[in-house]
Amino acid sequence: MKTVAIVGRPNVGKSTLFNKLAHAKISIIEDTPGVTRDRIYSVINYLDYKFNLIDTGGIDLSEADFNKLIEVQVEIAIDEADVIIFLVDGKEGINQNDLYLSDKLHKSGKRVIVAINKIDNKDSLVHKYDYYELGFSEYIEISGEHSSNVRELLDMVVKDFPKIEPEDDKRLKFSIIGRPNVGKSSLVNALLGEDKQIVSDIRGTTRDAVDTIFKYNDEEYVVIDTAGIRKRGKVYENIEKYSLLRSLKAIERSDICLLVIDYLDGIKEHDKHIAHFAIEQGKGIIIVVNKYDEGDAKKKNEFIKLIRAEFQFLSYANILFVSAKNKKYIHLIMPEIVKTNESINKQVATSVLNEIIEDAYNLNLPPSYKGKRLKIYYCLEESVKPPKFVFYVNSKNLIHFSYYRYLENKLRENIELTGTPIILKFKERSSK
């Protein structure tokens, strides 16, 4: 999948444009909700195209810490992007930050679209022509705030992108995701060393990632390794936002994600950010605690409790403790992947499903609101990967969050859905 980065100096409207592309309420854009206010990645669907979108920090040469922090972010955006949207402010004209970025982008050899923003402002009529002197081949005048020419910008972005094609490869794909230095590559190596027959190594769509095809119980699987930065050393690997982008690309291509947590280093906020991306894309999840050596059972139980407390949104995911370095308990991973694959593809008979929901409804009636109570007429499973259940009800407005969770819990109590998120969708239907 292609990657598009938005770069520019501060206050040119990068975040406004990013939000417009990622969250606009128009049919051609797939809304991918963020997990934090400063989330900078989103997956965009536009017509027959799909791509990753990255927002970056503002480039300001006057900042004291520019050389260490902003310089790296600029390099990351340039290295990862297939297309770069160079956003500039038509209202204010060129300054030294624009010239600095222009030089960087010319040297990169990447395709650059100069988007002159704020064209709705009368001052932009004076300054917008200055930017044509930067020497790029593609320009467009837009207003991110008022959506002027935003679709035309998207047309320019995707003009050379491949269209989305149906997935023909039926092999189960799983990725190893997690923070830098949690042992992702070591885990892959240990896993492939467990008497697996490696069929081939193929380059993945993620830079520096390798997809390895191997056999387990006479079935072929594909493992996607997101670890290992081959250029510029640890300076990139230590940037959390960069590792998050690598995980996002791998997650998109996976059926199941192994979220690796460092037993020695503990749980970090970044672990939860990566997990949320897997959930949002409907992937099966297994939590793998690496660097565990048999020791204090009490300490292990305390760590399990901590995981359950910090990852309450992953209560359905199983936890495995392994040591990739010593190859301990690695043999537990593939059976868990097989089990999770069964869950993400779980098909439930409509009669069984409605029996479960009817019993749950009668056991605990939903609360009434202004004299009205939610009625569930029937339920069916609409799709898999992940399982999606559609409830036909009298009014969607009567669905309370707590009752949504209650129904989800009842489904999980009665159906084996370990390791997979599930989606509950409600549609209104006349009582007649």
Side-chain angles (χ1 to χ4, degrees):
M1 189 161 61
K2 297 292 186 179
T3 297
V4 178
I6 304 174
V7 302
R9 57 182 165 91
N11 302 319
V12 294
K14 294 188 300 299
S15 294
T16 299
L17 178 61
F18 176 85
N19 290 334
K20 189 69 66 173
L21 297 177
H23 306 296
K25 302 300 183 182
I26 53 179
S27 60
I28 56 175
I29 296 294
E30 178 183 287
D31 182 18
T32 307
V35 297
T36 61
R37 291 180 59 188
D38 62 349
R39 173 177 174 171
I40 61 168
Y41 306 109
S42 190
V43 178
I44 307 299
N45 276 327
Y46 176 68
L47 301 178
D48 294 327
Y49 304 94
K50 188 174 185 178
F51 59 89
N52 291 313
L53 181 67
I54 318 171
D55 189 13
T56 62
I59 306 306
D60 189 350
L61 293 171
S62 65
E63 291 291 329
D65 58 353
F66 170 78
N67 287 332
K68 289 185 178 180
L69 300 179
I70 307 301
E71 181 82 16
V72 172
Q73 190 174 94
V74 172
E75 294 290 346
I76 289 172
I78 291 173
D79 284 349
E80 284 298 311
D82 298 287
V83 175
I84 299 171
I85 299 174
F86 182 14
L87 196 66
V88 297
D89 192 334
K91 184 175 66 173
E92 295 185 1
I94 295 177
N95 69 14
Q96 62 175 346
N97 298 317
D98 296 315
L99 293 173
Y100 172 81
L101 258 177
S102 175
D103 184 57
K104 282 277 187 186
L105 296 175
H106 275 298
K107 290 179 180 178
S108 73
K110 297 293 181 74
R111 182 175 164 228
V112 177
I113 300 171
V114 181
I116 305 173
N117 196 22
K118 307 179 184 179
I119 59 168
D120 51 300
N121 188 292
K122 63 179 181 180
D123 294 334
S124 65
L125 298 175
V126 178
H127 296 289
K128 68 180 183 179
Y129 298 104
D130 299 342
Y131 291 101
Y132 288 88
E133 298 177 4
L134 294 176
F136 293 98
S137 59
E138 296 182 84
Y139 286 82
I140 186 171
E141 299 167 13
I142 70 168
S143 171
E145 184 175 357
H146 297 100
S147 300
S148 299
N149 286 343
V150 169
R151 293 192 183 192
E152 288 77 4
L153 173 61
L154 282 168
D155 289 336
M156 292 177 68
V157 166
V158 303
K159 73 173 186 177
D160 296 324
F161 286 5
K163 292 185 177 181
I164 300 172
E165 298 292 341
E167 180 62 63
D168 294 326
D169 190 351
K170 302 302 181 182
R171 291 174 297 205
L172 185 142
K173 300 179 180 67
F174 64 94
S175 58
I176 313 295
I177 61 174
R179 289 185 290 115
N181 304 318
V182 294
K184 298 188 292 296
S185 283
S186 298
L187 186 61
V188 171
N189 292 337
L191 184 64
L192 296 176
E194 282 287 308
D195 299 322
K196 308 296 188 303
Q197 179 186 352
I198 298 176
V199 179
S200 67
D201 289 342
I202 55 175
R203 302 295 295 182
T205 60
T206 305
R207 286 171 175 80
D208 296 324
V210 176
D211 294 3
T212 303
I213 304 171
F214 68 97
K215 280 189 175 181
Y216 172 77
N217 288 349
D218 295 325
E219 293 286 337
E220 286 193 354
Y221 295 82
V222 180
V223 56
I224 304 170
D225 179 14
T226 62
I229 305 300
R230 273 67 174 181
K231 48 191 172 184
R232 297 185 183 270
K234 292 185 179 180
V235 65
Y236 275 69
E237 188 65 77
N238 289 334
I239 302 295
E240 287 191 346
K241 291 177 181 178
Y242 183 62
S243 65
L244 192 59
L245 172 62
R246 296 177 63 80
S247 295
L248 179 61
K249 289 181 175 181
I251 289 167
E252 192 273 333
R253 296 191 292 123
S254 304
D255 299 300
I256 297 171
C257 299
L258 273 60
L259 175 65
V260 184
I261 298 174
D262 191 324
Y263 181 70
L264 301 178
D265 197 30
I267 298 169
K268 306 296 183 183
E269 193 67 22
H270 193 47
D271 295 321
K272 291 185 276 188
H273 289 174
I274 293 173
H276 270 293
F277 279 108
I279 295 172
E280 288 174 1
Q281 295 200 36
K283 308 300 182 179
I285 301 180
I286 302 167
I287 300 173
V288 179
V289 182
N290 192 26
K291 305 181 184 180
Y292 169 75
D293 290 319
E294 289 177 292
D296 191 344
K298 181 179 180 182
K299 187 176 180 181
K300 177 183 176 181
N301 289 332
E302 289 175 353
F303 201 89
I304 293 174
K305 290 180 181 178
L306 181 62
I307 290 175
R308 292 308 184 195
E310 294 292 330
F311 293 89
Q312 294 184 32
F313 53 90
L314 278 180
S315 59
Y316 55 83
N318 278 349
I319 304 171
L320 300 179
F321 284 77
V322 304
S323 172
K325 180 180 179 181
N326 299 321
K327 295 183 172 58
K328 288 186 177 180
Y329 307 111
I330 299 299
H331 65 280
L332 300 175
I333 292 178
M334 286 309 300
E336 193 64 36
I337 288 174
V338 172
K339 181 180 178 180
T340 303
N341 185 48
E342 292 173 355
S343 292
I344 64 177
N345 289 285
K346 179 73 69 175
Q347 294 182 340
V348 186
T350 302
S351 59
V352 174
L353 189 58
N354 280 280
E355 184 177 341
I356 294 170
I357 296 304
E358 183 178 0
D359 289 345
Y361 186 87
N362 292 330
L363 181 65
N364 181 19
L365 292 176
S368 61
Y369 178 72
K370 293 184 178 180
K372 295 182 179 180
R373 191 186 303 276
L374 174 71
K375 293 181 180 179
I376 301 175
Y377 299 119
Y378 65 95
C379 177
L380 56 84
E381 185 176 10
E382 185 177 73
S383 60
V384 296
K385 284 190 174 182
K388 179 187 286 187
F389 303 99
V390 180
F391 292 75
Y392 287 87
V393 299
N394 57 334
S395 174
K396 293 191 294 184
N397 295 329
L398 297 175
I399 306 295
H400 191 273
F401 176 78
S402 62
Y403 205 74
Y404 179 104
R405 288 301 181 206
Y406 169 72
L407 293 174
E408 179 181 351
N409 291 337
K410 284 299 179 182
L411 286 172
R412 291 190 180 277
E413 286 176 13
N414 291 275
I415 305 169
E416 180 56 62
L417 294 166
T418 302
T420 182
I422 62 175
I423 298 172
L424 274 56
K425 185 177 180 180
F426 296 87
K427 291 185 178 181
E428 291 185 358
R429 198 211 73 171
S430 169
S431 59
K432 294 181 181 180

